[in-house]
């Protein structure tokens, strides 16, 4: 008979992937060549436009060879996604019913196992699912394919191709303010849509393509963008007017550039793109800029007024960044308010040559003037400026050259939807040292607390140390009294009960109620933070990682000391940050919740080493 099976050894990168093992229903009476089939699919919600993976595992549980002839991917699923490929690479065709057909000549020996990773791009909205089929010589085996998709793009909306600006398009002048828009990101709070932050953008086509920054339109861990509102500039001396809803067409978080497109009016009525005739600016040649060239910047600052603001400056230099070359950023003498992020920078002819970009500007000011925190992201009991949101305040002194947006613009003009999230470049974690403490939690007197309360508990259970967090927006921690100036901590972690947004990891440098936390989350993020006098300060804000997102069991490592803090997962270094004020203190474990209570995390094989 069939039973659950999970490919625990597979560590393949995927976007926003929290894996769930699913029962594969067996068919076929023969015991010869019999397979056990299972699938793993995303547990959390996938933002539209992102790639995601489904993993199929086939294990031979008989005493003779199993011959796989064909795999069929269900039409109900395939018609709502874009198929990106597989690992190993397999040829896929779609029949008239939209089923995905893969012809195989694969033999799996007794006790053997084959795993195939299928990659898709999310195009629909809502829950999509279907039953796939593995066909062998002796029968067929079903497996489930499922994904929950969400985002600013409503079900059924697809961008049309957008023509380039006509050569005889009426020029907007050297100060093309008419093409500047304000973008409002809407998130859901207590069942109601609210504006979380604003930014600026530039109309680059008459049918409503808008070039902006990725961070203006993309979700983060706490703020899931439900919709985008585009406010048009109808006059120089009046606030912009909310006119359209828009959806994301292209976004690259590492470049911090995105292209969105208007899709409906404010009453959600569809648009006649052919008749829009919106004011748009032509794209200029950013590579022709020279030191001292004049630049005009337009946008909505978010501070100091609600009307469009003009700033003038000169090209003061260029900044290199791999892999974008010597002109990855254009430095300028202008001091640009943060709300202009995503807005317009034109040359003397009124052609777009750059996009004011908050990220990478080199400005150390962290005044998040236009940041609108709506959630208690640091769990200090207050919703205030110390909580996370997308910052559009502060000031900017750098532009992304329009040259770096051209691939996104061309793909958007062709009607293609794609989102590339920021990612961490993997680096091997190789810290070693002298072992001074090791605990497999087999001895209930090894030094940890064994207690329970209304908010949570920590017990020696199931061969490890089990944390249960029974209260929302709460964390618990425990430590052992080993305090060194520089220390390496290793531990195995496994989520036993998922709540979707729980986090867990290693703590160190405990001094009273103050300590450092190096954590990962169920939904694929990591962070490094510090508690100081009851307040939480993020040294590394929550950042998405494909390594964290792949699976629910992880080997975690942390380096803590005056030389800095480092977090590593499954042998990959995720982040390193300075900690000049580090004080030696006990080290241990931590787990917490946000919106959902009931998280259970089992820790095992805890080690302390001196490097």
């Amino acid at each position: 008979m069939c039973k659950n099976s999970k490919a625990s050894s597979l560590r393949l990168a995927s976007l926003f992937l929290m894996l769930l093992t699913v029962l594969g229903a067996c068919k076929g009476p023969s015991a010869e060549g019999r397979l056990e089939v299972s699938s793993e699919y995303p547990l959390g919600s996938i933002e539209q436009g992102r790639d995601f993976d489904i993993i199929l595992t086939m294990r031979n549980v008989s005493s003779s060879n199993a011959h796989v002839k064909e795999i069929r991917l269900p039409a109900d699923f395939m018609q709502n996604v874009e198929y990106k490929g597989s690992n190993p690479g397999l040829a896929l065709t779609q029949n008239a019913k939209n089923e995905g057909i893969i012809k195989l000549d694969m033999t799996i020996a007794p006790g053997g196992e084959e795993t195939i990773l299928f990659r898709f791009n999310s195009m629909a909205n809502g829950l999509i699912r279907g039953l796939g089929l593995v066909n062998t010589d002796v029968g067929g085996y079903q497996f489930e394919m499922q994904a929950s998709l969400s985002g600013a793009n409503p079900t059924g909306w697809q961008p049309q191709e957008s023509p380039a600006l006509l050569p005889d398009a009426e020029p907007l002048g050297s100060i093309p303010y008419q093409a500047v828009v304000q973008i409002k990101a809407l998130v859901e709070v207590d069942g109601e849509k609210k504006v979380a932050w604003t930014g600026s953008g530039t109309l680059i086509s008459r049918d409503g393509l808008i070039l902006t920054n990725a961070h203006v339109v993309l979700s983060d861990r706490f703020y899931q963008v439900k919709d985008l509102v585009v406010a048009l500039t109808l006059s120089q001396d009046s606030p912009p007017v909310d006119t359209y809803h828009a959806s994301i067409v292209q976004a690259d978080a590492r470049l911090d550039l995105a292209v969105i497109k208007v899709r409906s009016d404010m009453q959600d009525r569809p648009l006649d793109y052919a008749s829009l005739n919106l004011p748009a600016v032509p794209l200029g040649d950013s590579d022709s800029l020279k030191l001292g060239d004049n630049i005009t910047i337009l946008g909505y600052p978010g501070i100091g007024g609600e009307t469009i603001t003009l700033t003038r400056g000169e090209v003061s230099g260029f900044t290199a960044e791999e892999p974008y070359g010597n002109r990855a950023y254009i430095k300028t003498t202008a001091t640009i308010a943060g709300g202009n992020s995503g807005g317009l920078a034109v040359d003397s002819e009124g052609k777009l040559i750059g996009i004011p970009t908050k990220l990478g500007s080199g400005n150390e000011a962290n005044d998040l003037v236009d940041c609108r925190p709506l959630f208690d992201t640091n769990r200090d009991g207050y919703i205030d400026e110390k909580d996370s949101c997308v910052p559009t305040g502060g000031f900017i002194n750098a532009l992304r050259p329009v040259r770096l947006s051209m691939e996104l613009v061309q793909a958007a003009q062709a009607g293609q939807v794609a989102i590339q999230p920021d990612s961490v470049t993997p680096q091997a974690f190789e810290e070693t040292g002298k072992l001074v403490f090791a605990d497999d939690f087999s001895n209930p007197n090894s030094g940890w607390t064994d207690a329970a309360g209304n908010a949570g508990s920590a017990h020696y259970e199931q061969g490890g140390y089990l944390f249960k967090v029974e209260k929302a927006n709460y964390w618990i921690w425990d430590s052992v009294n080993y305090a060194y100036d520089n220390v390496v901590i290793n531990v195995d972690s496994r989520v036993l009960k998922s709540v979707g947004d729980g986090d867990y990891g290693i703590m160190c440098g405990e001094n009273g109620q103050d300590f450092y936390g190096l954590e990962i989350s169920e939904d694929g993020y990591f962070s490094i933070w510090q508690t100081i006098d009851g307040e939480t300060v993020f040294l590394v804000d929550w950042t998405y990682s494909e390594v964290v997102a792949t699976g629910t069991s992880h080997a975690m490592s942390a380096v803590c000391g005056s030389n800095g803090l480092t977090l590593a997962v499954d042998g990959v270094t995720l982040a390193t940050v300075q900690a000049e004020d580090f004080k030696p203190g006990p080290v241990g474990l931590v787990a917490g919740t946000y919106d959902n209570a009931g998280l259970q995390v089992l820790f095992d094989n805890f080690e302390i080493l001196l490097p």
Side-chain angles (χ1 to χ4, degrees):
M1 60 180 293
C2 281
K3 61 180 180 179
N4 286 334
S5 171
K6 183 172 181 180
S8 59
S9 62
L10 188 63
R11 284 284 174 218
L12 295 175
S14 62
L15 303 178
F16 273 82
L17 183 63
M18 293 298 292
L19 296 176
L20 178 68
T21 302
V22 182
L23 177 66
C26 292
K27 291 184 178 180
S30 175
E32 297 302 315
R34 182 164 54 85
L35 292 181
E36 178 185 278
V37 176
S38 65
S39 62
E40 298 176 279
Y41 52 72
L43 178 62
S45 182
I46 306 296
E47 187 175 356
Q48 286 178 333
R50 296 185 186 270
D51 291 347
F52 66 94
D53 297 345
I54 290 180
I55 299 172
L56 170 66
T57 300
M58 300 170 287
R59 181 178 293 109
N60 187 342
V61 293
S62 73
S63 58
S64 60
N65 288 342
H67 181 229
V68 180
K69 301 186 298 183
E70 180 185 68
I71 297 174
R72 289 179 173 259
L73 307 184
D76 291 345
F77 188 89
M78 296 297 291
Q79 64 190 5
N80 289 302
V81 298
E82 177 188 0
Y83 178 69
K84 303 297 290 287
S86 65
N87 185 8
L90 301 171
L92 179 143
T93 59
Q94 286 189 253
N95 60 20
K97 298 180 181 179
N98 284 323
E99 288 181 300
I101 309 297
I102 299 172
K103 297 295 184 181
L104 292 173
D105 184 11
M106 176 186 290
T107 299
I108 305 176
E113 178 179 289
E114 292 288 343
T115 299
I116 301 173
L117 180 146
F118 297 106
R119 178 154 294 172
F120 306 93
N121 187 268
S122 53
M123 304 296 292
N125 197 342
L127 180 64
I128 59 173
R129 62 194 308 175
L131 291 176
L133 184 66
V134 175
N135 282 323
T136 72
D137 286 341
V138 298
Y141 303 84
Q142 290 182 327
F143 61 94
E144 189 165 5
M145 301 182 69
Q146 178 174 309
S148 178
L149 311 176
S150 65
N153 301 0
T155 301
W157 181 84
Q158 289 294 320
Q160 300 176 1
E161 291 188 18
S162 295
L165 284 175
L166 299 176
D168 59 348
E170 183 178 347
L172 299 177
S174 59
I175 305 177
Y177 71 89
Q178 307 96 319
V180 179
V181 302
Q182 186 178 58
I183 301 170
K184 301 177 180 180
L186 304 184
V187 302
E188 194 171 283
V189 180
D190 297 328
E192 197 176 323
K193 287 183 180 179
K194 295 184 178 181
V195 176
W197 61 84
T198 65
S200 300
T202 304
L203 284 160
I204 58 172
S205 77
R206 290 183 169 184
D207 66 345
L209 285 179
I210 297 168
L211 182 61
T212 184
N213 282 150
H215 79 262
V216 172
V217 299
L218 291 181
S219 304
D220 67 9
R221 187 185 174 204
F222 299 108
Y223 293 83
Q224 297 297 310
V225 176
K226 297 298 184 181
D227 207 348
L228 300 169
V229 171
V230 172
L232 295 186
T233 305
L234 301 184
S235 66
Q236 302 179 41
D237 55 0
S238 300
V241 177
D242 292 353
T243 309
Y244 300 115
H245 292 290
S247 293
I248 301 168
V249 185
Q250 292 283 317
D252 187 324
R254 184 173 179 185
L255 272 173
D256 196 25
L257 294 174
V259 182
I260 66 175
K261 189 170 186 176
V262 298
R263 71 166 191 271
S264 70
D265 64 16
M266 294 304 295
Q267 288 72 46
D268 290 323
R269 293 175 298 211
L271 302 175
D272 178 9
Y273 289 110
S275 64
L276 283 183
N277 198 27
L278 294 168
V281 295
L283 305 184
D285 181 7
S286 55
D287 283 345
S288 67
L289 292 174
K290 302 181 297 295
L291 292 175
D293 281 356
N294 293 323
I295 294 175
T296 300
I297 296 101
L298 291 164
Y300 287 93
I303 54 175
E306 297 180 337
T307 58
I308 194 167
T309 300
L310 180 147
T311 308
R312 294 190 187 275
E314 296 178 339
V315 175
S316 61
F318 305 95
T319 301
E321 181 189 18
E322 293 295 336
Y324 307 122
N326 292 333
R327 292 192 175 208
Y329 289 100
I330 303 167
K331 294 191 291 184
T332 173
T333 57
T335 300
I336 309 164
N340 285 298
S341 187
L344 170 148
V346 294
D347 59 18
S348 58
E349 297 179 359
K351 293 182 178 180
L352 183 66
I353 49 83
I355 302 93
T357 302
K358 180 69 178 174
L359 303 184
S361 67
N363 194 305
E364 296 301 322
N366 290 313
D367 300 324
L368 308 184
V369 182
D370 198 36
C371 185
R372 296 182 177 90
L374 303 175
F375 302 99
D376 183 17
T377 60
N378 65 358
R379 290 179 290 213
D380 65 358
Y382 301 95
I383 299 176
D384 54 25
E385 69 279 357
K386 295 186 173 90
D387 292 305
S388 299
C389 73
V390 175
T392 57
F395 293 94
I396 303 170
N397 64 356
L399 314 171
R400 273 296 196 195
V402 73
R403 170 184 61 85
L404 294 180
S405 72
M406 292 309 299
E407 288 189 11
L408 300 179
V409 170
Q410 291 166 2
Q413 286 177 328
Q416 301 171 10
V417 177
I419 296 175
Q420 295 297 324
D422 200 3
S423 60
V424 178
T425 302
Q427 295 181 351
F429 178 78
E430 299 177 345
E431 289 284 348
T432 58
K434 177 184 177 182
L435 182 67
V436 295
F437 177 75
D439 194 351
D440 64 3
F441 302 104
S442 59
N443 177 7
N445 298 311
S446 61
W448 301 86
T449 301
D450 195 355
N454 292 333
S457 63
H459 291 297
Y460 290 83
E461 284 187 34
Q462 303 184 42
Y465 192 45
L466 180 61
F467 276 33
K468 297 180 180 180
V469 188
E470 306 292 357
K471 182 179 178 180
N473 216 40
Y474 196 81
W475 65 38
I476 60 175
W477 73 91
D478 194 21
S479 60
V480 286
N481 195 21
Y482 287 82
Y484 298 97
D485 185 55
N486 287 284
V487 63
V488 179
I489 306 157
N490 299 321
V491 70
D492 293 333
S493 63
R494 180 160 58 99
V495 175
L496 297 187
K497 183 179 179 182
S498 169
V499 296
D501 62 354
D503 50 87
Y504 53 96
I506 297 167
M507 55 84 66
C508 60
E510 183 182 20
N511 287 274
Q513 295 294 306
D514 296 346
F515 59 90
Y516 294 89
L518 301 93
E519 284 196 299
I520 62 177
S521 71
E522 291 186 86
D523 46 354
Y525 290 78
F526 66 87
S527 72
I528 300 177
W529 44 267
Q530 179 183 12
T531 59
I532 305 174
D533 297 327
E535 299 291 338
T536 302
V537 177
F538 283 92
L539 306 179
V540 176
D541 210 345
W542 288 107
T543 304
Y544 180 78
S545 165
E546 296 170 350
V547 176
V548 176
T550 308
T552 56
S553 296
H554 297 285
M556 302 184 64
S557 298
V559 179
C560 295
S562 56
N563 294 333
L565 304 171
T566 297
L567 173 64
V569 172
D570 298 326
V572 176
T573 299
L574 298 181
T576 297
V577 67
Q578 295 299 311
E580 297 176 357
D581 59 347
F582 180 86
K583 297 178 182 179
V587 300
L589 303 165
V590 61
T593 58
Y594 281 98
D595 287 342
N596 305 306
L599 175 69
Q600 295 186 18
V601 182
L602 185 68
F603 295 102
D604 202 357
N605 302 317
F606 184 87
E607 295 180 339
I608 300 174
L609 300 91
L610 297 183

